[in-house]
Amino acid sequence: MQRSPYLWGIAAALTLGCIAGLSAGAAENNVIRPGEPWPDNHGVHINAHGGGVLYHAGTYYWFGEHKTAGPSGNLANVGVGVYASTDLIHWRDEGIALPVSDDPGSDLTRGCILERPKVIFNAATGKFVMWFHLEPKGGGYRGARSGVAIADQPTGPFRFLASIRPNAGAWPRNAPPDQQRPLSPAESALVASLDLKGGPVPGFPVDLIFRRDFAGGQMARDMNLFVDDDGQAYQIYASEDNGTLQISRLSADYLRPAGDYARILPGGFNEAPALFKHGGKYWLITSGCTGWAPNPARLAVADSIWGPWTTLGNPWNGPGAQTATSYDSQSTFVLPIAGAPDAFIFMADRWRPDDAQDGRYVWVPVRFQLDGVPFLEWKQTWDPTAIHAPLPPINHSP
Ligand code: GAL
């Protein structure tokens, strides 16, 4: 059939319209949209909650909890997902890096709780090492364990190595000598009488829980990993019934605690720790302990990773109604941008506990005040390629 000039006109208009539409769409897609659905290369919302990002050989790898639909989607029904990107906007689904196990005897069995997975690369062994918060199936959050897995490639497959409570049989390096002893029977009875639910309670026995757990290992829930400039890696975790964070040096191969750890902000009830280093100082962003419900973020600083740590309040700058919930988010990671020493992305989760896989990601650039103190500001959209030339430091408060 021969086309009439009229039809050709329509076809040309449609084609042009399409091209115009495409380029407009592409431009719109070259931004990060905190809190919005974030499609992967298949157009499916990225499924990597409580995540962290590893930069390796020119590519960013985003690891996170692969959640499923509905409230039971917060259980580990699938495993740890991984996505790859070179521009931090467009992410390719690389599948499940660490699947849950079909063995009912494994701590990693389907239906366990596996949260906040983080991966680091060990240059000496050439291995990728994953740590995560692990709760064996059916035990709620009482297990408070850490899982460790290893892989030859960043996208896995990761092999599950161990489920542990860190630092069994070791005293914290900053515990005074008179606290370096197991609980007395009276102290044990006191601790056993309390209903410790992972949040602040009146009369919380700040200096007793780590002593209770000396023999069996320290509780470890929300966690993160941090590799210092000297290649030394650390695990930081909410311990002691969430009352106190602990930071623990890892062995040279990153596969186990070295038995050298410190208590951070005792009795502060911090979780969701995200640690980074800038201007020669260690910066720590955490949340309070309110489960899936958001609360004001918290910032702390230290000259040494072992502390002492000083609290500096909420790093979010903005209207009180939004900063009170950290823009409906909870910290998960601070990502140093490769080749840009002053550029970091703050990553947080906007949890959707009733439909877990619909949880959103709140990523914003970390900014710095003139005195070097970091702060966070909401952005509707932003272009992470511009982060290589970060905005200059300012003072946001007079
Ligand atoms: C939060 C924690 C999450 C998850 C949740 C369960 O406090 O940060 O990772 O454990 O509690 O209620």
Side-chain angles (χ1 to χ4, degrees):
M1 189 187 89
Q2 247 202 312
R3 280 192 192 184
S4 72
Y6 172 72
L7 281 177
W8 277 116
I10 291 179
L14 281 174
T15 311
L16 279 176
C18 270
I19 291 169
L22 260 184
S23 54
E28 279 168 17
N29 285 337
N30 278 333
V31 289
I32 286 178
R33 301 169 181 281
E36 299 291 319
W38 194 338
D40 67 6
N41 58 314
H42 305 303
V44 175
H45 179 50
I46 291 171
N47 199 335
H49 309 269
V53 174
L54 168 72
Y55 179 77
H56 185 77
T59 299
Y60 292 95
Y61 296 91
W62 177 357
F63 298 85
E65 304 159 28
H66 182 104
K67 304 225 183 209
T68 53
S72 64
N74 283 309
L75 298 175
N77 299 311
V78 178
V80 176
V82 56
Y83 294 79
S85 176
T86 50
D87 65 6
L88 296 162
I89 304 168
H90 302 93
W91 292 89
R92 191 173 65 241
D93 181 6
E94 295 283 355
I96 299 301
L98 174 69
V100 291
S101 169
D102 289 318
D103 172 3
S106 166
D107 273 0
L108 205 61
T109 197
R110 198 179 308 278
C112 66
I113 293 172
L114 190 174
E115 292 180 340
R116 299 182 177 271
K118 303 291 179 296
V119 174
I120 51 181
F121 175 67
N122 188 298
T125 62
K127 303 286 185 192
F128 297 86
V129 180
M130 180 189 291
W131 284 71
F132 47 92
H133 171 199
L134 181 61
E135 297 288 347
K137 186 176 178 177
Y141 281 88
R142 289 189 296 279
R145 303 180 73 80
S146 295
V148 191
I150 191 168
D152 294 327
Q153 301 296 330
T155 51
F158 280 79
R159 188 163 53 87
F160 180 45
L161 290 183
S163 152
I164 59 156
R165 274 201 170 188
N167 293 310
W171 293 111
R173 54 156 60 212
N174 58 350
D178 66 320
Q179 289 183 4
Q180 299 194 11
R181 58 191 166 88
L183 294 185
S184 69
E187 289 168 329
S188 291
L190 170 71
V191 172
S193 73
L194 296 169
D195 188 15
L196 301 175
K197 289 191 157 61
V201 289
F204 181 76
V206 176
D207 295 325
L208 295 191
I209 310 293
F210 76 93
R211 291 172 50 205
R212 177 196 68 189
D213 292 337
F214 172 75
Q218 299 295 315
M219 297 176 79
R221 291 193 181 121
D222 283 8
M223 59 139 277
N224 222 318
L225 299 178
F226 173 76
V227 182
D228 210 338
D229 305 329
D230 58 2
Q232 191 65 249
Y234 299 83
Q235 184 197 13
I236 179 166
Y237 48 90
S239 193
E240 307 178 27
D241 281 295
N242 288 353
T244 299
L245 293 164
Q246 294 183 354
I247 185 145
S248 163
R249 190 163 60 79
L250 298 181
S251 55
D253 59 10
Y254 299 172
L255 297 179
R256 55 192 64 82
D260 183 14
Y261 70 110
R263 305 177 68 216
I264 298 183
L265 303 173
F269 281 92
N270 286 282
E271 62 178 12
L275 181 61
F276 65 107
K277 192 176 186 180
H278 183 250
K281 292 183 189 294
Y282 297 87
W283 303 96
L284 176 62
I285 298 178
T286 64
S287 73
C289 299
T290 54
W292 300 120
N295 57 54
R298 303 154 175 203
L299 176 68
V301 62
D303 291 327
S304 157
I305 201 161
W306 298 119
W309 289 84
T310 306
T311 55
L312 297 173
N314 189 341
W316 279 102
N317 178 40
Q322 276 78 28
T323 58
T325 67
S326 307
Y327 289 82
D328 189 3
S329 79
Q330 186 184 30
S331 42
T332 185
F333 198 67
V334 173
L335 168 60
I337 299 304
D342 296 324
F344 300 83
I345 297 179
F346 171 75
M347 298 168 46
D349 291 284
R350 183 173 285 179
W351 303 115
R352 289 287 174 267
D354 295 334
D355 188 15
Q357 68 181 6
D358 191 36
R360 306 294 171 82
Y361 310 105
V362 170
W363 289 25
V364 294
V366 175
R367 292 197 63 189
F368 293 94
Q369 304 205 59
L370 293 172
D371 60 3
V373 174
F375 69 96
L376 307 171
E377 253 170 10
W378 179 256
K379 297 213 172 297
Q380 210 68 35
T381 63
W382 62 284
D383 174 3
T385 54
I387 202 173
H388 289 270
L391 291 169
I394 57 153
N395 273 345
H396 65 69
S397 43

